[in-house]
Structures are given as structure tokens and as C-alpha cells.
Amino acid sequence: MTSPVETPHPVTGLDDVVHQRVRLGILTIAHEARRVEFGFLRTQLELTAGNLSQHLSVLEAAGLVEVEKGYAGKRGRTWITLTAAGDAALAEEIARLKQLIARVETTGGE
Amino acid sequence: MTSPVETPHPVTGLDDVVHQRVRLGILTIAHEARRVEFGFLRTQLELTAGNLSQHLSVLEAAGLVEVEKGYAGKRGRTWITLTAAGDAALAEEIARLKQLIARVETTGGE
């Protein structure tokens, strides 16, 4: 079988830490504001608190977000901020998705 | 905290069956040809045979690909074909990724 393309496939360059659906959502929302509140992320992404916490831990361990505990009045709040590395990782993901989309749209069936 | 956007976030509409990195690769490669051979997919996506088989099973169970065993000369071969449902699911994924990209590119930091 011959291949029309000899270069590595765009998905081989995708990072699962960033590409995973929920984490991609967290990064894109965090990209839209200086910082976002935990409950806001949970609502926007339709997640349980436990599920969101797990994904935030993965992103925090990779240095892509910072998670801060604080207060809004008397109520505890958790704030999430995209790091410079997180911003770069999101930009890289978007660039690779564009390559993938271009490839899908310029090919298709025989 | 106020939100700039009240509609559901694009990632909430992504399907993990399709969005997962390896499966997205399988679907895009299968989209490029009438059918693709197992070993070709494995090389293109830099996977072990076991890992590729697992992901093909998920896609086959969802009706997005068909997997056929056959022969090329004396050698056994496994061929993968995108179904109409698989083609539609890939198109849906691409449409949502475009929404996501547009959203990332029209916003960003304060």
C-alpha cells in the first residue's frame, strides 16, 4: 500500500495532557480571562467537582495552570490561572489542530 | 464573576470516542482513502499493535469503522474502512474544533 503522505501524522504531535476534551476546555476558558473561578469552570464544562479537580491536578502537575485558594467575602474560592507554559501549550495544540483540519479538508474518499 | 459567553462551551459537544488523540488519527487517515491496512495505521500513528487494536475496537463498537480480515497473497491483512456514520462523526468533530479555535483566537488574556 502506498501513502499519499510521508511526514508524521499531525496527531502524533498532539499532547494528551492538552488534547483531552475536558482539559482542552479548561485551558481555553482560562485563556479567555486573567483568572477563572472553580465553580464557573465546573458549570461551563458540565462537570462534577471531583472530575474537574482531577483534570486540574493533571494540568497543575504539568505546569500549565496555577491553582490558588482564596476568599470572596466569607466564602472559600479556588481560582485558576493559565501559566505562560499553558498558553504556549494551548497555542501548540491549536496549531496542530489546524494542520489536522487542513488535511481532512483537502482529502476525502476516492 | 461574569462570563463573556452564555452558550455551552464547544468542548461539551465533543465526543470522546472521536476526539481521543489516537482515534482522531485513525478516523482522519481512514477518511483519506477507501480503506487502510492495519500495519499502515500502526506506522503512521506510531502505535503498538495492541494499542491500535484497542482503539479500533472502540470505533468499531460505535459503528464508526468496519474492520475486515483478508489476504494479500499468502499474508493475512486487516483492512479498516470508515463508515458513513464515521464520516459524519469526523465532520462533526472538525466543525466543533473550528468553533473552539475561533473562540480561542478571538479572545485571550486581559
Side-chain angles (χ1 to χ4, degrees):
Chain A
M1 174 163 187
T2 57
S3 162
V5 178
E6 303 298 336
T7 53
H9 192 277
V11 304
T12 62
L14 291 175
D15 179 352
D16 286 322
V17 171
V18 176
H19 181 72
Q20 195 279 338
R21 189 182 70 79
V22 170
R23 292 193 291 268
L24 186 56
I26 294 169
L27 294 173
T28 57
I29 294 171
H31 174 76
E32 290 167 9
R34 194 173 56 80
R35 63 180 196 171
V36 292
E37 202 268 315
F38 186 92
F40 176 74
L41 274 180
R42 197 163 63 74
T43 308
Q44 281 276 302
L45 296 174
E46 302 173 1
L47 298 173
T48 62
N51 195 350
L52 176 55
S53 290
Q54 282 183 324
H55 287 296
L56 284 173
S57 296
V58 173
L59 292 172
E60 193 179 20
L64 305 185
V65 300
E66 277 174 14
V67 179
E68 281 173 280
K69 308 261 177 197
Y71 288 87
K74 290 183 182 172
R75 305 186 68 177
R77 285 276 192 272
T78 299
W79 299 96
I80 293 91
T81 311
L82 197 64
T83 64
D87 202 53
L90 179 61
E92 177 75 16
E93 164 84 8
I94 296 297
R96 290 194 188 267
L97 290 179
K98 283 182 169 179
Q99 284 175 20
L100 188 83
I101 291 169
R103 187 160 157 165
V104 170
E105 293 190 336
T106 55
T107 61
E110 270 179 44
Chain B
M1 172 163 188
T2 58
S3 161
V5 178
E6 303 297 336
T7 52
H9 192 276
V11 303
T12 62
L14 291 175
D15 179 352
D16 286 322
V17 171
V18 177
H19 181 72
Q20 194 278 340
R21 188 181 70 79
V22 170
R23 292 193 292 268
L24 185 56
I26 295 169
L27 294 173
T28 57
I29 294 171
H31 174 76
E32 290 168 9
R34 195 173 57 79
R35 63 181 196 170
V36 291
E37 201 268 316
F38 186 91
F40 176 74
L41 274 181
R42 197 162 64 73
T43 307
Q44 282 277 301
L45 297 174
E46 302 174 1
L47 298 174
T48 63
N51 195 351
L52 176 55
S53 291
Q54 283 183 324
H55 287 296
L56 284 173
S57 296
V58 172
L59 291 172
E60 194 180 19
L64 305 185
V65 300
E66 277 173 15
V67 179
E68 281 172 279
K69 308 261 178 195
Y71 288 87
K74 291 184 183 173
R75 304 187 68 177
R77 285 277 192 272
T78 300
W79 299 97
I80 292 90
T81 311
L82 197 64
T83 63
D87 202 52
L90 179 61
E92 177 74 16
E93 165 85 8
I94 296 296
R96 291 194 187 267
L97 290 178
K98 284 181 168 178
Q99 285 175 19
L100 188 83
I101 291 168
R103 186 161 159 166
V104 170
E105 294 190 335
T106 55
T107 60
E110 269 179 45

